[in-house]
PDB file of all heavy atoms in Angstrom:
ATOM      1  N   LEU A 202     121.142  81.856 171.117  1.00  0.00           N
ATOM      2  CA  LEU A 202     120.067  82.088 170.154  1.00  0.00           C
ATOM      3  C   LEU A 202     118.706  81.964 170.822  1.00  0.00           C
ATOM      4  O   LEU A 202     118.451  81.015 171.561  1.00  0.00           O
ATOM      5  CB  LEU A 202     120.164  81.070 169.005  1.00  0.00           C
ATOM      6  CG  LEU A 202     119.052  81.129 167.943  1.00  0.00           C
ATOM      7  CD1 LEU A 202     119.096  82.437 167.173  1.00  0.00           C
ATOM      8  CD2 LEU A 202     119.163  79.954 166.983  1.00  0.00           C
ATOM      9  N   VAL A 203     117.859  82.968 170.571  1.00  0.00           N
ATOM     10  CA  VAL A 203     116.467  82.914 171.021  1.00  0.00           C
ATOM     11  C   VAL A 203     115.603  83.068 169.779  1.00  0.00           C
ATOM     12  O   VAL A 203     115.718  84.063 169.069  1.00  0.00           O
ATOM     13  CB  VAL A 203     116.152  84.049 172.019  1.00  0.00           C
ATOM     14  CG1 VAL A 203     114.694  83.988 172.460  1.00  0.00           C
ATOM     15  CG2 VAL A 203     117.078  83.996 173.226  1.00  0.00           C
ATOM     16  N   ILE A 204     114.761  82.061 169.502  1.00  0.00           N
ATOM     17  CA  ILE A 204     113.837  82.189 168.370  1.00  0.00           C
ATOM     18  C   ILE A 204     112.451  82.472 168.932  1.00  0.00           C
ATOM     19  O   ILE A 204     111.975  81.772 169.826  1.00  0.00           O
ATOM     20  CB  ILE A 204     113.811  80.914 167.500  1.00  0.00           C
ATOM     21  CG1 ILE A 204     115.221  80.599 166.988  1.00  0.00           C
ATOM     22  CG2 ILE A 204     112.853  81.101 166.320  1.00  0.00           C
ATOM     23  CD1 ILE A 204     115.285  79.345 166.117  1.00  0.00           C
ATOM     24  N   MET A 205     111.824  83.528 168.404  1.00  0.00           N
ATOM     25  CA  MET A 205     110.492  83.915 168.876  1.00  0.00           C
ATOM     26  C   MET A 205     109.506  83.849 167.734  1.00  0.00           C
ATOM     27  O   MET A 205     109.858  84.092 166.579  1.00  0.00           O
ATOM     28  CB  MET A 205     110.507  85.353 169.424  1.00  0.00           C
ATOM     29  CG  MET A 205     111.378  85.519 170.650  1.00  0.00           C
ATOM     30  SD  MET A 205     111.204  87.162 171.369  1.00  0.00           S
ATOM     31  CE  MET A 205     109.521  87.072 172.005  1.00  0.00           C
ATOM     32  N   SER A 206     108.273  83.503 168.074  1.00  0.00           N
ATOM     33  CA  SER A 206     107.208  83.653 167.088  1.00  0.00           C
ATOM     34  C   SER A 206     105.880  83.724 167.818  1.00  0.00           C
ATOM     35  O   SER A 206     105.711  83.130 168.877  1.00  0.00           O
ATOM     36  CB  SER A 206     107.222  82.489 166.096  1.00  0.00           C
ATOM     37  OG  SER A 206     106.452  81.441 166.568  1.00  0.00           O
ATOM     38  N   HIS A 207     104.968  84.492 167.244  1.00  0.00           N
ATOM     39  CA  HIS A 207     103.635  84.636 167.833  1.00  0.00           C
ATOM     40  C   HIS A 207     103.669  84.878 169.329  1.00  0.00           C
ATOM     41  O   HIS A 207     103.008  84.177 170.090  1.00  0.00           O
ATOM     42  CB  HIS A 207     102.768  83.429 167.499  1.00  0.00           C
ATOM     43  CG  HIS A 207     102.586  83.306 166.031  1.00  0.00           C
ATOM     44  ND1 HIS A 207     103.395  82.522 165.255  1.00  0.00           N
ATOM     45  CD2 HIS A 207     101.732  83.921 165.207  1.00  0.00           C
ATOM     46  CE1 HIS A 207     103.036  82.649 164.011  1.00  0.00           C
ATOM     47  NE2 HIS A 207     102.026  83.491 163.951  1.00  0.00           N
ATOM     48  N   SER A 208     104.500  85.829 169.730  1.00  0.00           N
ATOM     49  CA  SER A 208     104.523  86.293 171.112  1.00  0.00           C
ATOM     50  C   SER A 208     105.054  85.262 172.097  1.00  0.00           C
ATOM     51  O   SER A 208     104.920  85.433 173.298  1.00  0.00           O
ATOM     52  CB  SER A 208     103.132  86.743 171.573  1.00  0.00           C
ATOM     53  OG  SER A 208     102.506  87.506 170.575  1.00  0.00           O
ATOM     54  N   THR A 209     105.663  84.168 171.564  1.00  0.00           N
ATOM     55  CA  THR A 209     106.238  83.194 172.487  1.00  0.00           C
ATOM     56  C   THR A 209     107.675  82.854 172.071  1.00  0.00           C
ATOM     57  O   THR A 209     108.101  83.165 170.959  1.00  0.00           O
ATOM     58  CB  THR A 209     105.435  81.875 172.528  1.00  0.00           C
ATOM     59  OG1 THR A 209     105.443  81.325 171.222  1.00  0.00           O
ATOM     60  CG2 THR A 209     104.012  82.091 172.997  1.00  0.00           C
TER      61      THR A 209
END
Side-chain angles (χ1 to χ4, degrees):
Chain A
L202 177 65
V203 179
I204 302 180
M205 296 187 69
S206 88
H207 298 94
S208 317
T209 60

